[in-house]
Amino acid sequence: MTQNTSLPESTIDQHTQPASVTEYANLCQHLVNAAMHSPDLLAVAVQQAKGNGQYQYQELTFAELDKQSDELAYKLNASGIKQGMKAVLMVTPSIAFFNLTFALFKAGIIPILVDPGMGINNLKQCFIEAKPDAFIGIPKAHIARRVLGWGKDSVKYCINVGGNRFQRWLAGCLSIESLKQVNGTQYNRYPMVKLAEDEMAAILFTSGSTGTPKGVVYSHKMFEAQISALKHDYGISVGERDLATFPLFSLFGPALGMASIVPDMDASKPITAEPKHLFAAISQYQCSNMFVNPALLERLGQAGEQTQHKLTSVKRVISAGAPATISSIKRFSKMLESKVEVLNSYGATESLPISKIASSALFATTDKTDQGAGICVGQAIEGVEIAIIDIVEPPIAHWTDNLALATDQIGEIVVKGAMVSQAYYQRDSATAGAKIQDGTQMRHRMGDVGYLDANNQLWMCGRKAHRVDASVKGQFEKRYFSIPCERVFNTHAQVKRSALVPVTIDGNVVPLVCIELNKGVVCSTSKVLYQNLVELATLYPHTQGISRFFIHPEFPVDVRHNAKIFREKLAIWAQKQWKE
């Protein structure tokens, strides 16, 4: 690396005469403001379990986080990593993660954030597409980078974070502690880069749980809209403390004046979390907010039920990533005070949050959901417009109001708002297939199907790709949607979960439902179970015609949420089983 001790370039100077319609922003301005007005307030605390019920916590105040990220931004620039470059960030939630992320944003360096759980092949493809200039990661990530050739054609700068001496040696690159200094050790405030509202500020890759991972282009305008939603629609206020179990959400804490309390857990595999660690962190810091995905909600709820644990300080729980089951929410809610709600958020990496519904309102929809009405995901948050369009595959170039379907008609969910992404990175065809131009904004096709009811509540009916279009001799016969069908069969006491898939029999496409049984249910009961399921199918118009069921030992599901069923894999399995 070549040393560069000059101050970083800033787009502030490049845009001294901005057009009146253009705004410039950087989400780090919220951290800077918090450091000025509440310098000693806690910003971050990271838990480390020491065994025997003992814990150690590393803490940063807002002033410390602001100062340390300023210093790191200077060092990154001095080491050759400058504004406009792209940097892969594969660092576990830690003090270093917060310092690095805010330093990158301050310097106008574009972080590339990927989910390690997406698989080796997907990770390599992500780096091929993103063409990162720098790779910042823990030793394990660097070892994988060297062995598997991640980013070998584009990465010029490598920085290792953490690990012992041997691990750092294996990483084979500069450590974060040895980054070049600028003018000794004295640093002035970093001249924070500000970008135009739609300029690329970050690339966040989708998980790939329902298809090939795609890089979503994030702007500071999107981040600002998400911060605004958390502040106004979810009521988060300065001084709160959040149990942060998802890295991206944890970054919003300091931006909201809320402390992010990071528990000792693998954020990419929440199902493996130790509930006692999380309970200890909540108790230590009296957390008022929690962000948990369905897998963690279920795990914590089970642990709380066994120990009769209570979360007396928690005033708000936000669940997102996949629909949580009613039983999981009810079990978890036993730990909460009577009036505390679990807020279920709907959205995607490309557009989050879109709508929300409180647990008490969700419970009131249980009967309709069990009868196949879909899952109610609530009403749009402020500033978001939701519409339903016909289920079609080709791109739609321009939006017109006559594309919108009427109330109670199932179609693809389309959203518009400030937090909606405008494009995928280096994926023109994917952008064309998912975006609809509407004036100066893009509407996003969610890839989910659903409908709006008479009260303007959104009901989700599954992924568009998971519908089954039954046909006879090549002629369309009937359309089946995953969630409305599956929820009917999930009401059976012996069924843990079900999955609708298509199979081809004698050239005809027919619906088949894979069944995963509850633990302890033996296969000898399958004949009676089959009769029960056939009877259930006859009760509702949307399940009539389903008469084929296969019992599967354990569904393939995504690691992070333990709720997104890989129906594509089940479809291949079911087709093979039928032929055998």
Side-chain angles (χ1 to χ4, degrees):
M1 298 181 190
T2 58
Q3 186 173 10
N4 185 332
T5 57
S6 62
L7 292 180
E9 298 174 1
S10 171
T11 54
I12 298 174
D13 299 327
Q14 298 171 19
H15 299 290
T16 53
Q17 297 296 327
S20 59
V21 296
T22 304
E23 295 182 4
Y24 298 88
N26 189 314
L27 68 84
C28 293
Q29 66 193 8
H30 300 287
L31 171 60
V32 173
N33 290 337
M36 290 176 60
H37 296 103
S38 308
D40 299 324
L41 202 63
L42 181 69
V44 178
V46 179
Q47 180 193 59
Q48 183 180 4
K50 308 298 288 185
N52 300 318
Q54 300 298 309
Y55 299 93
Q56 179 179 316
Y57 295 91
Q58 288 183 290
E59 297 181 346
L60 284 180
T61 64
F62 283 106
E64 289 170 336
L65 178 57
D66 185 39
K67 183 174 184 293
Q68 291 180 22
S69 57
D70 269 358
E71 292 179 0
L72 195 50
Y74 274 118
K75 290 180 179 181
L76 290 170
N77 288 160
S79 298
I81 308 174
K82 301 292 186 68
Q83 178 188 339
M85 289 185 175
K86 301 186 293 293
V88 169
L89 187 61
M90 294 189 73
V91 178
T92 53
S94 57
I95 295 297
F97 171 77
F98 284 89
N99 281 331
L100 274 164
T101 307
F102 282 105
L104 292 171
F105 280 128
K106 284 181 176 180
I109 301 165
I110 299 161
I112 300 170
L113 301 176
V114 296
D115 184 345
M118 69 171 57
I120 291 173
N121 290 335
N122 282 336
L123 281 169
K124 186 172 184 178
Q125 183 60 34
C126 290
F127 300 140
I128 290 172
E129 290 183 9
K131 293 182 173 58
D133 302 284
F135 194 106
I136 306 172
I138 58 175
K140 183 178 179 181
H142 281 292
I143 294 167
R145 170 185 61 80
R146 297 179 70 185
V147 172
L148 300 171
W150 291 345
K152 65 178 181 179
D153 296 328
S154 64
V155 172
K156 303 177 185 65
Y157 307 94
C158 294
I159 299 172
N160 177 69
V161 180
N164 56 39
R165 180 180 294 181
F166 179 66
Q167 290 170 327
R168 291 195 293 271
W169 176 78
L170 286 175
C173 59
L174 189 70
S175 71
I176 191 172
E177 293 80 10
S178 59
L179 287 181
K180 292 179 174 63
Q181 303 291 313
V182 183
N183 299 326
T185 57
Q186 298 300 313
Y187 298 93
N188 297 317
R189 175 166 294 285
Y190 187 88
M192 183 171 57
V193 168
K194 291 187 178 181
L195 301 177
E197 59 179 13
D198 286 325
E199 280 189 78
M200 181 167 63
I203 301 173
L204 277 62
F205 274 88
T206 60
S207 66
S209 60
T210 56
T212 304
K214 298 182 287 291
V216 180
V217 176
Y218 261 62
S219 64
H220 282 294
K221 177 183 177 181
M222 287 179 64
F223 284 124
E224 289 290 347
Q226 291 174 325
I227 291 168
S228 178
L230 291 169
K231 185 182 297 183
H232 301 295
D233 290 83
Y234 291 81
I236 294 175
S237 58
V238 173
E240 287 200 50
R241 293 179 173 183
D242 170 56
L243 185 78
T245 62
F246 180 59
L248 180 61
F249 187 85
S250 67
L251 294 174
F252 289 125
L256 289 159
M258 175 174 65
S260 289
I261 313 302
V262 182
D264 192 337
M265 62 173 283
D266 184 346
S268 68
K269 299 177 182 177
I271 194 66
T272 65
E274 285 285 351
K276 61 183 179 182
H277 298 344
L278 280 70
F279 292 155
I282 293 169
S283 176
Q284 174 73 21
Y285 290 96
Q286 291 295 288
C287 295
S288 56
N289 189 76
M290 293 179 66
F291 182 93
V292 290
N293 77 350
L296 193 55
L297 194 79
E298 172 69 12
R299 186 163 177 81
L300 294 179
Q302 289 178 348
E305 192 172 54
Q306 292 171 1
T307 61
Q308 298 298 301
H309 191 82
K310 298 295 181 183
L311 301 173
T312 55
S313 66
V314 174
K315 307 302 179 189
R316 183 192 311 100
V317 180
I318 301 173
S319 179
T325 64
I326 298 292
S327 60
S328 293
I329 298 171
K330 286 185 175 180
R331 185 181 296 112
F332 183 91
S333 295
K334 293 177 182 177
M335 293 190 289
L336 304 174
E337 297 295 307
S338 59
K339 293 184 179 180
V340 177
E341 300 271 17
V342 176
L343 302 176
N344 296 271
S345 292
Y346 170 68
T349 306
E350 298 91 336
S351 48
L352 181 72
I354 292 303
S355 68
K356 67 180 177 68
I357 184 170
S359 49
S360 58
L362 182 64
F363 295 159
T365 67
T366 301
D367 289 345
K368 291 185 66 175
T369 294
D370 287 346
Q371 293 168 18
I375 299 172
C376 185
V377 292
Q379 293 185 319
I381 66 168
E382 185 177 351
V384 171
E385 182 181 330
I386 299 174
I388 309 297
I389 65 172
D390 273 330
I391 297 174
V392 295
E393 299 302 331
I396 301 172
H398 297 283
W399 176 262
T400 58
D401 289 341
N402 60 10
L403 287 170
L405 299 181
T407 298
D408 293 329
Q409 285 189 274
I410 297 177
E412 184 174 9
I413 301 168
V414 178
V415 298
K416 177 183 176 182
M419 71 286 294
V420 174
S421 61
Q422 302 297 290
Y424 292 111
Y425 188 69
Q426 301 294 351
R427 287 285 196 91
D428 291 344
S429 61
T431 298
K435 307 297 179 182
I436 306 174
Q437 189 74 48
D438 185 3
T440 59
Q441 285 185 285
M442 288 286 192
R443 290 181 183 252
H444 178 66
R445 299 168 69 174
M446 294 291 289
D448 292 330
V449 291
Y451 62 94
L452 290 165
D453 66 16
N455 296 317
N456 222 30
Q457 291 191 117
L458 178 63
W459 293 75
M460 217 267 279
C461 297
R463 295 291 293 170
K464 181 172 73 170
H466 293 159
R467 73 191 188 280
V468 174
D469 286 346
S471 64
V472 177
K473 296 180 180 180
Q475 297 297 311
F476 173 80
E477 189 175 57
K478 183 175 180 178
R479 176 167 285 167
Y480 297 87
F481 296 107
S482 57
I483 289 177
C485 292
E486 293 163 4
R487 286 300 174 120
V488 169
F489 303 116
N490 289 353
T491 61
H492 194 286
Q494 295 177 352
V495 175
K496 178 181 179 180
R497 51 190 166 194
S498 59
L500 174 75
V501 299
V503 291
T504 301
I505 303 173
D506 298 328
N508 301 322
V509 177
V510 300
L512 180 147
V513 176
C514 298
I515 300 292
E516 182 181 345
L517 299 175
N518 284 314
K519 290 181 179 179
V521 177
V522 294
C523 288
S524 60
T525 64
S526 60
K527 186 174 182 180
V528 174
L529 173 62
Y530 171 77
Q531 292 173 339
N532 293 161
L533 295 175
V534 170
E535 289 172 4
L536 276 173
T538 64
L539 297 179
Y540 305 100
H542 46 276
T543 51
Q544 288 171 4
I546 297 176
S547 60
R548 295 168 177 84
F549 302 89
F550 280 163
I551 294 176
H552 189 280
E554 187 175 14
F555 282 1
V557 296
D558 69 299
V559 176
R560 181 180 293 282
H561 303 296
N562 196 38
K564 294 181 178 179
I565 300 168
F566 292 131
R567 291 173 178 80
E568 293 82 1
K569 293 181 180 180
L570 284 177
I572 295 171
W573 173 84
Q575 187 68 59
K576 184 179 178 181
Q577 292 292 114
W578 186 267
K579 288 181 179 179
E580 292 177 352

